[in-house]
Amino acid sequence: QVQLVESGGGLVKPGGSLRLSCAASGFTFSDYYMTWIRQAPGKGLEYISYISSTSIHTNYADSVKGRFTISRDNDKNSLYLQMNSLRAEDTAVYYCARVLDDSSGYSFDYWGQGTLVTASS
Amino acid sequence: DIQMTQSPSSLSASVGDRVTITCRASQSISNYLNWYQQKPGKAPNLLIYAASSLQSGVPSRFSGSGSGTDFTLTISSLQPEDFATYYCQQSFSIYTFGQGTMLEIK
């Protein structure tokens, strides 16, 4: 069965860096676009970034552009999010999700359990 | 950027009720609209994609409709496990979520 497991979250001081990982299993990872989505405490869902199946295409929300970098290693079935210059407002649960291309748009059909990032002094 | 606005923001209902949640896009998004359910402490779960297609494994009491700018999620007969927060999401231009609708027990 499809599984996505995030890791790497934790407490970091504002201005610091963190690298999140998402280990995928149960499907052909290299066939799918992947995405990161976050949820601040008590708030709604916010799209952060996506990466194409071969890493050729990436996209970032304005809120993280220039600070976060998405990448993947298809040999290791893993997705990554390098987060630099972290701010208090980056505090959130970060989810990785698989992107489903249903020919009428894109949806997120499988999600990890999430990893909490706290940027605080 | 395309803005997604859900209404209501919260809703109280009883088991067995028929419930409708609305999502409005700031511009036409054709049928590029998805619905998710999220329970406390859990990841979201895809319910409906392409405005009206039921995701595999999702009970048939959930249905979606709409096109252009106005969309609805309907739960035909509420079950105890349906009390959760629901989000719409557009994929016409990158991705944007609505602010969520919290469905509570009356």
Side-chain angles (χ1 to χ4, degrees), chain A residues 39 47 95 102 106 108 112, chain B residues 34 36 38 43 49 87 91 94:
Chain A
Q39 186 169 35
Y47 158 77
Y95 296 101
D102 58 41
Y106 302 91
F108 311 133
Chain B
N34 309 308
Y36 301 84
Q38 187 180 33
Y49 63 93
Y87 293 93
S91 66
I94 308 300

Side-chain angles (χ1 to χ4, degrees), chain B:
Chain B
D1 291 5
I2 298 175
Q3 308 302 316
M4 306 300 293
T5 304
Q6 290 181 231
S7 60
S9 295
S10 63
L11 174 61
S12 295
S14 301
V15 172
D17 284 354
R18 179 183 180 89
V19 166
T20 297
I21 298 169
T22 297
C23 180
R24 175 164 289 175
S26 59
Q27 67 184 73
S28 177
I29 59 170
S30 185
N31 67 334
Y32 288 40
L33 191 283
N34 309 308
W35 290 97
Y36 301 84
Q37 176 193 67
Q38 187 180 33
K39 296 182 179 179
K42 301 293 187 182
N45 181 49
L46 177 65
L47 298 175
I48 302 285
Y49 63 93
S52 60
S53 295
L54 193 67
Q55 174 68 350
S56 175
V58 175
S60 59
R61 63 181 179 271
F62 290 93
S63 64
S65 65
S67 183
T69 61
D70 294 315
F71 302 86
T72 59
L73 172 70
T74 299
I75 310 172
S76 60
S77 178
L78 271 174
Q79 298 303 300
E81 60 268 30
D82 299 337
F83 292 94
T85 299
Y86 293 84
Y87 293 93
C88 63
Q89 171 247 325
Q90 66 83 18
S91 66
F92 183 83
S93 175
I94 308 300
Y95 310 118
T96 317
F97 290 91
Q99 82 279 14
T101 295
M102 184 180 296
L103 178 54
E104 300 172 310
I105 300 175
K106 184 182 287 184

Side-chain angles (χ1 to χ4, degrees), chain A residues 100-121:
Chain A
L100 174 67
D101 179 357
D102 58 41
S103 75
S104 293
Y106 302 91
S107 56
F108 311 133
D109 63 343
Y110 286 94
W111 299 60
Q113 84 288 352
T115 187
L116 176 63
V117 172
T118 304
S120 174
S121 52

Side-chain angles (χ1 to χ4, degrees), chain A residues 11-77:
Chain A
L11 176 64
V12 60
K13 288 183 167 53
S17 298
L18 214 53
R19 189 195 196 207
L20 305 184
S21 299
C22 171
S25 60
F27 66 103
T28 304
F29 182 69
S30 57
D31 284 348
Y32 288 85
Y33 281 43
M34 297 293 295
T35 187
W36 288 98
I37 293 158
R38 70 183 180 185
Q39 186 169 35
K43 303 296 185 183
L45 300 168
E46 180 187 14
Y47 158 77
I48 292 299
S49 179
Y50 80 74
I51 186 168
S52 63
S53 54
T54 58
S55 304
I56 289 176
H57 300 292
T58 60
N59 178 271
Y60 300 90
D62 287 344
S63 58
V64 305
K65 199 173 294 183
R67 300 187 299 122
F68 290 11
T69 303
I70 191 171
S71 63
R72 65 190 295 162
D73 185 334
N74 286 344
D75 291 333
K76 294 182 178 179
N77 292 337

